[in-house]
Amino acid sequence: MSLTRNTSATSHSAKMKKDESFLGRLGGTLARKKKAKEVSDLHEEGKNAINAPMLPTGTGIHPEDTLLEENAERIMLDPTSRENLKFKDLLKVLIDWINSELEEDRIIVKDLEEDCYDGQVLQKLFEKLSGRKLNVAEVTQSEIGQKQKLQTVLEAVNDLLRPHGWSIEWSVDSIHSKNLVAIVYLLVALAMHFQAPIRLPEHVSVQVVVVKKREGILQTAVVTKELTSTTEMMMGRFERDAFDTLLDHAPDKLNVVKTSLITFVNKHLNKLNLEVTELESQFADGVYLILLMGLLEDYFVPLYNFFLTPESFEQKVHNVAFAFELMQDGGLRKPKARPEDVVNLNLKSTLRVLYNLFTNYKNSE
């Protein structure tokens, strides 16, 4: 009986020593792995510490942002530019415009970075503006699918814009990585090309931090990017026509043109005992444009469709935009001018609208 107990005790003691030996080896392995990780982390921290002084103050670049491949480049918006009031205003104008265009699709954009990167909004916006249907999957969750959709959308956009002299400041990778500057460049180009009925803030510039890796060392530079210039310059990319030539090179003939247009509009407005003497100001609220269209097309425009005595800027824009709709309903091409430009007394815009009417109705009684 005693021998059995001793044998059992000896076996139990041996098992405990074996377990302790195993745990010891396991602990040693874990300790070595932990130490190796600490060495790796320390090495990475050392690299970041060396590279950090080269980064501009206040850029908010995290260590993982600096882990670039050799010869790779990353562009980041400077945080101070993100808080720029004109830049914020530009973002709001673009967001409101997209939401207005895509209202029928029940798409609501709140943040350009988060809502545009996967290509869904950009696809719908391009299709609405261009009237073209793109051959892409409607909903894509995977990164590969999203990039394929972006590739198709951006190819269509680039094919449309490049012949007009636009510099392509965006790519599939920059849009998908939520590069706000690239997204804004793209949206501004689309808004300008399709003559969106919005007024973009002028002279909006931002600073971006360009980080490149060369021979294992980060090289940084702060670059200023101009997102918008003046409205005239931006619209001029597409609107150079006879009136630009007239104003730039033959201003002496401008009065002859204005006199001809005044004679034309008064021939019809006189039927309502109305008379125009100043083209820029008297058409700026849209009322005369609406009444003129009714006279030219021989119908009465119900007064509830427009503001007969508009007071606010928005009411005047509504009137001019409504007059443009009447023109298109009459078979005319969509005016090149924007309603906002007519309201803001832009002479070239007003001349373009009236000349469009003159060429189509000059023989009308």
Side-chain angles (χ1 to χ4, degrees), residues 49-317:
I50 293 172
N51 290 326
M54 302 177 67
L55 302 176
T57 303
T59 57
I61 299 175
H62 299 289
E64 58 266 26
D65 292 328
T66 67
L67 303 180
L68 298 173
E69 298 290 335
E70 183 66 21
N71 295 320
E73 174 181 294
R74 181 176 282 111
I75 298 177
M76 296 156 282
L77 179 63
D78 190 297
T80 56
S81 290
R82 189 180 287 271
E83 297 303 315
N84 181 281
L85 293 180
K86 290 181 72 172
F87 180 61
K88 284 185 171 182
D89 186 28
L90 176 59
L91 297 184
K92 183 179 185 306
V93 170
L94 291 173
I95 288 174
D96 290 345
W97 169 56
I98 295 173
N99 288 334
S100 175
E101 291 290 345
L102 301 183
E103 184 177 7
E104 293 181 2
D105 294 295
R106 297 184 179 180
I107 291 176
I108 298 177
V109 171
K110 296 182 179 179
D111 184 288
L112 292 181
E113 291 163 294
E114 296 298 327
D115 295 332
C116 292
Y117 81 96
D118 62 358
Q120 180 76 9
V121 169
L122 294 176
Q123 171 211 338
K124 294 295 185 183
L125 181 63
F126 180 77
E127 289 179 341
K128 173 69 184 301
L129 295 172
S130 67
R132 290 175 51 193
K133 183 72 176 174
L134 298 178
N135 185 24
V136 293
E138 282 300 313
V139 180
T140 52
Q141 298 294 335
S142 69
E143 179 177 335
I144 293 176
Q146 291 170 353
K147 286 189 173 182
Q148 287 175 340
K149 172 178 279 193
L150 273 174
Q151 182 72 34
T152 301
V153 174
L154 295 185
E155 282 179 358
V157 170
N158 296 348
D159 288 345
L160 181 71
L161 297 182
R162 193 176 276 117
H164 294 281
W166 280 100
S167 173
I168 306 303
E169 299 281 353
W170 52 83
S171 65
V172 171
D173 288 336
S174 63
I175 299 294
H176 195 265
S177 64
K178 304 179 184 180
N179 183 321
L180 185 56
V181 175
I183 293 171
V184 170
Y185 263 127
L186 173 59
L187 293 174
V188 167
L190 288 174
M192 289 287 87
H193 180 81
F194 288 103
Q195 299 177 27
I198 57 176
R199 175 162 290 278
L200 297 174
E202 298 184 345
H203 298 298
V204 179
S205 296
V206 294
Q207 288 190 323
V208 296
V209 181
V210 181
V211 183
K212 301 178 182 178
K213 178 168 280 189
R214 297 289 184 271
E215 297 181 355
I217 301 296
L218 290 179
Q219 301 175 356
T220 66
V222 178
V223 179
T224 299
K225 295 282 188 178
E226 183 184 56
L227 300 176
T228 67
S229 54
T230 65
T231 299
E232 283 296 310
M233 289 181 66
M234 290 186 286
M235 296 301 291
R237 187 185 297 269
F238 307 106
E239 287 194 292
R240 296 297 299 182
D241 58 17
F243 287 111
D244 292 288
T245 304
L246 183 69
L247 290 171
D248 293 344
H249 304 292
D252 54 310
K253 297 181 180 178
L254 180 61
N255 285 332
V256 176
V257 174
K258 291 173 71 174
T259 300
S260 297
L261 292 176
I262 287 174
T263 300
F264 163 71
V265 298
N266 280 335
K267 173 185 174 182
H268 300 281
L269 289 176
N270 285 165
K271 299 171 186 176
L272 298 177
N273 294 321
L274 300 173
E275 187 171 358
V276 169
T277 56
E278 191 64 40
L279 293 178
E280 301 101 299
S281 59
Q282 289 183 268
F283 284 98
D285 63 7
V287 175
Y288 278 13
L289 275 179
I290 294 170
L291 297 177
L292 182 58
M293 277 308 303
L295 291 165
L296 293 172
E297 286 290 328
D298 196 24
Y299 57 70
F300 175 76
V301 182
L303 298 181
Y304 57 78
N305 280 332
F306 64 100
F307 299 95
L308 189 58
T309 55
E311 297 179 357
S312 67
F313 180 81
E314 290 74 20
Q315 290 177 348
K316 295 176 182 178
V317 169

